Amino acid sequence: MPARHWGVLAVLCGAIFLEGIDVAMLNVALPSIRADLGLSTGALSGVVSAYVLGYGGFMLLGGRAADLLGRRRMFLLWLTVFLLFSGLGGFAEEGWVLLVARFVTGVAAAFLTPAGLSLITTTFPEGPLRNRALLVYAGTAAGGFALGLVIGGLLAAVGWRWVFFAPVLMSAALLLAAIPLLKEPPAAGRPAARSFDLAGAATVTGAMMLLVYGVVRLEHPGDGLPLTVAAFAGGLALLAAFAAIERRSAAPLVRMGIFRAGALVRTNLMAALLTASFFGFQFLLTLYLQELRGWSAIETGLALLAAAADVVLAPTLTPWLVNRYGNARVVLGGLLSGLLAYALFLGVGLDWAYAAMLPSMLLIGLMFAFVYGPLTIVATDGIAEHEQGLAGGLINTSFQFGAALGLSAVTAVNVAALGGADTPEAGLAALRTALAVPVTATLVAAVIAVIGLRAAARPRAGQPLPVP
């Protein structure tokens, strides 16, 4: 690999690491923010939801904007926006300022992430070199979240504002490195910017924001059910309008034909289920360690570090396995590892030593190492260069939507199972019930992986199907 390519990969991995560490650090610092600014529980939840709304709502638009308006241009512009509004959050003295800062930061990440992914897929030629670059990228993303839990705990102990200022410093360093290193891929085949599908952009963004908002509201099943139903109904209606607009548009934002690829649809479904299972489990584990066991935020972050084994495995072991067995089999093996990890945790008790939890943590690290990167490879493999941003937007939308859905589902099940009881035993029983969510999500993902393997084993005559 040329030295410049190593530099490009380092910058793009730094950006996805920044996105992961930013989210994780804030989650750990929320109690300190509430104490200092006097925020209500609803306002504190809104700080998290505002980022999710911006990220999930604008991801598809961000992916297509990279294709149409230039990947390097979008990356540099939105990295700058990320820097500015992360800094705004650090200076916040009132809750509404934090809400605005987190929403715009989420929007910036929605444009930044698919632009970075498509820069990798257009810089590195399809094949082993691109696969290795994507696996390093995926391992860095997961490592950012795992390390962010620990770093966030340390920074919050000094002052919660550093949780916002640290990404500013990192963004500035990345921006200085990116300007000379990143080159705009050739514009050949790129649709003219004047043909930008504004109607499609408005409807799909509105649809995704309403759907994500509906998912977030599932965390409070008894609170304003009509509003939750209205959010889902409005989102689905806008999604239907978007599909109708795209079929008639001369230059659609999303070409509907891209969904005819069974492998692409299966990959995005598995991506959503993967993050739904992990983020749901991580939330339950945090409740268990901090509320039922009395562990500190730093101790909880350190406990999750074992799950970051994919930082080492993704760029080393996974490429060898993919070359030898193919993406589909590696993905299936990873999902089965995750299924075993969650199943082992079903027997959790109030007196468990960390040694009893460690097998689950390590197996989750295997799952991410074997699933996250290969899914990213399949999601962008065989896609035309002028649609790489769209493919990146789709897979990242699936990851983000799945994370929001998993968090909301385990919260709703946990609250319902708890039923107002306030004893450690009741809390443990509710947690065990909610663990059914990550177990079920991973099981469904494994079934989809098996279907993909069977489809790949029975290609149509003269027209082999992609893997998985």
Side-chain angles (χ1 to χ4, degrees), residues 229-248:
V229 173
F232 278 117
L236 293 173
L238 283 177
L239 209 55
F242 169 71
I245 290 169
E246 298 307 279
R247 289 192 184 95
R248 297 184 179 93

Side-chain angles (χ1 to χ4, degrees), residues 19-428:
E19 191 272 324
I21 202 173
D22 175 76
V23 173
M25 288 194 303
L26 179 68
N27 289 345
V28 175
L30 287 175
S32 301
I33 294 172
R34 188 218 294 263
D36 191 25
L37 298 185
L39 299 182
S40 66
T41 301
L44 199 67
S45 175
V47 171
V48 177
S49 301
Y51 182 91
V52 173
L53 283 173
Y55 197 178
F58 284 83
M59 182 68 76
L60 274 179
L61 178 58
R64 197 59 178 140
D67 290 332
L68 297 174
L69 305 177
R71 298 179 177 100
R72 179 181 182 272
R73 182 182 297 118
M74 289 292 98
F75 183 89
L76 296 179
L77 170 64
W78 290 101
L79 181 58
T80 304
V81 174
F82 191 101
L83 181 157
L84 293 174
F85 279 85
S86 185
L88 176 64
F91 287 112
E93 296 291 345
E94 296 184 33
W96 70 267
V97 178
L98 270 183
L99 290 173
V100 171
R102 291 309 291 169
F103 177 76
V104 180
T105 304
V107 174
F111 282 84
L112 181 66
T113 304
L117 178 57
S118 60
L119 278 167
I120 288 181
T121 56
T122 53
T123 299
F124 297 89
E126 191 170 312
L129 194 61
R130 180 191 292 180
N131 291 352
R132 179 171 289 276
L134 287 173
L135 290 169
V136 172
Y137 182 80
T140 305
F145 186 83
L147 292 174
L149 295 171
V150 180
I151 296 171
L154 294 172
L155 290 177
V158 177
W160 64 264
R161 296 182 188 276
W162 280 103
V163 168
F164 291 90
F165 293 146
V168 170
L169 299 175
M170 189 172 179
S171 300
L174 287 172
L175 195 59
L176 291 174
I179 291 172
L181 281 171
L182 299 184
K183 304 297 181 186
E184 192 69 67
R190 185 197 302 168
R194 58 182 172 79
S195 65
F196 198 78
D197 180 12
L198 291 177
T203 51
V204 75
T205 301
M208 294 308 298
M209 288 186 69
L210 283 172
L211 290 173
V212 172
Y213 179 64
V215 167
V216 170
R217 285 194 59 82
L218 289 176
E219 297 179 16
H220 313 285
D223 182 20
L225 182 60
L227 183 57
T228 304
V229 173
F232 278 117
L236 293 173
L238 283 177
L239 209 55
F242 169 71
I245 290 169
E246 298 307 279
R247 289 192 184 95
R248 297 184 179 93
S249 176
L253 185 73
V254 177
R255 181 176 60 84
M256 292 291 105
I258 199 170
F259 296 108
R260 295 194 190 105
L264 183 75
V265 174
R266 287 192 296 271
T267 298
N268 280 274
L269 285 173
M270 286 187 285
L273 292 166
L274 170 71
T275 51
S277 68
F278 173 74
F279 281 89
F281 176 77
Q282 182 263 327
F283 175 74
L284 293 175
L285 181 63
T286 302
L287 287 182
Y288 169 71
L289 293 177
Q290 294 192 22
E291 295 191 358
L292 297 181
R293 301 292 300 275
W295 289 27
S296 69
I298 296 177
E299 288 171 331
T300 301
L302 290 172
L304 283 165
L305 266 185
D310 62 315
V311 176
V312 176
L313 297 176
T316 54
L317 178 60
T318 307
W320 181 82
L321 292 174
V322 166
N323 289 335
R324 184 174 178 85
Y325 300 107
N327 285 302
R329 290 182 176 84
V330 175
V331 167
L332 178 58
L335 290 171
L336 293 177
S337 296
L339 186 60
L340 179 58
Y342 301 139
L344 287 173
F345 217 82
L346 287 171
V348 64
L350 291 174
D351 57 350
W352 262 26
Y354 182 67
M357 310 174 210
L358 186 59
S360 290
M361 301 297 104
L362 295 174
L363 287 167
I364 288 171
L366 283 179
M367 177 182 70
F368 255 92
F370 296 163
V371 180
Y372 191 99
L375 284 183
T376 306
I377 293 171
V378 177
T380 56
D381 201 24
I383 302 295
E385 185 167 316
H386 67 275
E387 290 186 323
Q388 283 292 329
L390 171 60
L394 285 170
I395 190 67
N396 281 296
T397 297
S398 298
F399 283 134
Q400 182 66 23
F401 194 79
L405 185 61
L407 280 168
S408 298
V410 297
T411 301
V413 173
N414 188 66
V415 170
L418 197 56
D422 190 22
T423 64
E425 291 75 18
L428 182 64

